[in-house]
Amino acid sequence: MANTTITSANSILTMVVPGLFPVPVSIQGYASDDAFMLDALDLAEVSMGVDGKMSAGYVPKEVKQTITLQADSESKDFFAILTQAVKTAREVFYMSATLSLPSTGEAFTFTRGILTSVEQAPTGKKMLQPQKFVITWESVNRAIL
């Protein structure tokens, strides 16, 4: 990976929600210090017996992704429409996504995600603050561009 940088400014995140957004929607207007983040993935469950012997095993786990958007991001509409659809239908909507990181030559595919947490309005300070949106994914897979 010669001549790469670590900028996230050229990243591209697209999302699809069948029935609401069947064509990929590009998410834009990220917060500058906190654009997107994935929680660490726990790869094993571990328990310690009373005799001091440790047992462990792999158990699949969901992955949480936090997307942080500026208060004036047009992509907030995507999450507002999805939030309202969930409330109206009283049902979750599954989605998929792709994250491309040209600077490092990586791409990530996200499958069977649901919107699990939203900040419904920006916090008001001197300036309106960014809003966070959390999606819980069934799986995240990495590929080389």
Side-chain angles (χ1 to χ4, degrees), residues 50-72:
V50 295
D51 60 356
K53 182 174 166 79
M54 182 175 76
S55 300
Y58 171 78
V59 177
K61 293 282 188 166
E62 70 281 358
V63 180
K64 291 195 176 195
Q65 178 186 35
T66 302
I67 298 169
T68 308
L69 300 177
Q70 292 288 81
D72 63 351

Side-chain angles (χ1 to χ4, degrees), residues 97-113:
T98 302
L99 174 63
S100 175
L101 303 176
S103 62
T104 59
E106 298 172 290
F108 297 86
T109 56
F110 301 80
T111 56
R112 285 186 50 85

Side-chain angles (χ1 to χ4, degrees), residues 25-26 28-29 34 41 49 55 59 64 68 97 113 119 130 138 145:
V25 174
S26 182
Q28 300 176 359
D34 205 13
L41 178 62
S55 300
V59 177
K64 291 195 176 195
T68 308
E119 290 181 354
E138 182 176 278
L145 291 174

Side-chain angles (χ1 to χ4, degrees), residues 67-78:
I67 298 169
T68 308
L69 300 177
Q70 292 288 81
D72 63 351
S73 169
E74 290 182 17
S75 291
K76 287 181 9 179
D77 291 345
F78 170 87

Side-chain angles (χ1 to χ4, degrees), residues 1 3-11 32 36 101-106:
M1 289 198 303
N3 298 322
T4 61
T5 68
I6 58 169
T7 185
S8 60
N10 61 1
S11 64
S32 60
F36 47 83
L101 303 176
S103 62
T104 59
E106 298 172 290

Side-chain angles (χ1 to χ4, degrees), residues 45-143:
E45 289 285 328
V46 179
S47 66
M48 186 71 77
V50 295
D51 60 356
K53 182 174 166 79
M54 182 175 76
S55 300
Y58 171 78
V59 177
K61 293 282 188 166
E62 70 281 358
V63 180
K64 291 195 176 195
Q65 178 186 35
T66 302
I67 298 169
T68 308
L69 300 177
Q70 292 288 81
D72 63 351
S73 169
E74 290 182 17
S75 291
K76 287 181 9 179
D77 291 345
F78 170 87
F79 291 103
I81 291 167
L82 180 54
T83 297
Q84 189 56 50
V86 169
K87 288 178 173 180
T88 300
R90 295 180 179 214
E91 191 60 72
V92 297
F93 288 77
Y94 285 94
M95 63 179 82
S96 61
T98 302
L99 174 63
S100 175
L101 303 176
S103 62
T104 59
E106 298 172 290
F108 297 86
T109 56
F110 301 80
T111 56
R112 285 186 50 85
I114 57 170
L115 184 62
T116 51
S117 177
V118 298
E119 290 181 354
Q120 295 186 82
T123 298
K125 294 188 178 184
K126 288 181 186 179
M127 293 178 58
L128 293 175
Q129 299 300 295
Q131 288 174 250
K132 294 185 182 294
F133 304 90
V134 179
I135 300 168
T136 302
W137 299 101
E138 182 176 278
S139 67
V140 178
N141 294 294
R142 178 183 178 264

